């Protein structure tokens, strides 16, 4: 996965402008469905990378945002331009040469965004979700260490 981002260095807000998500699917038996799986996984990955995180009460350990409505999953308005790339290298162990691509398509999104933030700012973000406060912390650390 590859991401193009804009980072507001004063607020820590990250805006993903473009995302390219490439997957070896063996053989795409139905390319339209494969593209849909890649797009859906990339959208899930955006939430995982930028907004969806559990908050816990420090005293009791109780989840403070235990309902789906509290997780701030991205809506269609939050999704950038996503380019799905289907790679077909074949799979000899499957009768039709196919591989699955559903859940795996969200895995590369967070590292791609973290790398894009580092490329844009020099700050390495190592915590998820990459909320503005997490990004600001990474920016301060990069400035402190001269990275």
């Amino acid at each position: 996965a590859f991401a193009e981002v804009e980072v507001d260095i004063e607020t820590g807000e990250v805006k993903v402008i473009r995302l390219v998500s490439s997957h070896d699917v063996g053989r795409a038996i139905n390319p339209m469905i494969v593209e849909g799986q890649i797009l859906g996984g990339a959208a899930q990955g955006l939430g995982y990378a930028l907004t969806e995180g559990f908050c816990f009460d420090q005293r009791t350990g109780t989840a403070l945002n235990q309902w789906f409505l509290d997780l701030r999953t991205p809506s269609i308005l939050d999704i950038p331009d996503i380019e799905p790339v289907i790679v077909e290298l074949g799979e000899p162990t499957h009768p039709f040469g196919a591989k699955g691509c559903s859940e795996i398509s969200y895995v590369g999104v967070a590292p791609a965004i973290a790398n894009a933030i580092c490329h844009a700012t020099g700050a390495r973000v190592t915590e998820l979700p990459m909320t503005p406060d997490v990004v600001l912390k990474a920016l301060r650390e990069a400035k402190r260490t001269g990275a």
Side-chain angles (χ1 to χ4, degrees):
F2 302 90
E4 179 182 349
V5 301
E6 290 178 353
V7 181
D8 186 326
I9 60 173
E10 292 182 8
T11 66
E13 182 181 351
V14 175
K15 181 177 182 183
V16 179
I17 305 302
R18 182 171 172 245
L19 188 63
V20 177
S21 188
S22 172
H23 295 280
D24 173 11
V25 299
R27 178 172 171 250
I29 295 169
N30 186 329
M32 187 180 293
I33 288 177
V34 172
E35 282 188 3
Q37 289 289 338
I38 294 171
L39 292 169
Q44 281 182 305
L46 285 166
Y48 174 67
L50 298 174
T51 60
E52 298 173 19
F54 282 107
C55 300
F56 295 93
D57 182 302
Q58 294 292 325
R59 192 174 49 78
T60 65
T62 304
L64 298 174
N65 58 344
Q66 54 188 316
W67 309 109
F68 285 123
L69 293 175
D70 298 331
L71 285 179
R72 296 188 1 230
T73 56
S75 76
I76 191 65
L77 300 174
D78 304 312
I79 304 298
D81 180 33
I82 302 173
E83 179 183 341
V85 177
I86 298 173
V87 178
E88 296 182 275
L89 299 178
E91 173 54 53
T93 63
H94 188 275
F96 301 110
K99 293 181 185 178
C101 74
S102 57
E103 294 297 323
I104 195 67
S105 56
Y106 78 85
V107 173
V109 175
I113 293 171
N115 286 336
I117 292 169
C118 185
H119 182 77
T121 66
R124 175 60 64 192
V125 180
T126 59
E127 190 178 329
L128 293 177
M130 292 177 268
T131 57
D133 57 326
V134 169
V135 174
L136 286 174
K137 185 170 80 172
L139 289 167
R140 285 191 299 273
E141 181 65 20
K143 190 173 185 178
R144 185 183 68 76
T145 61

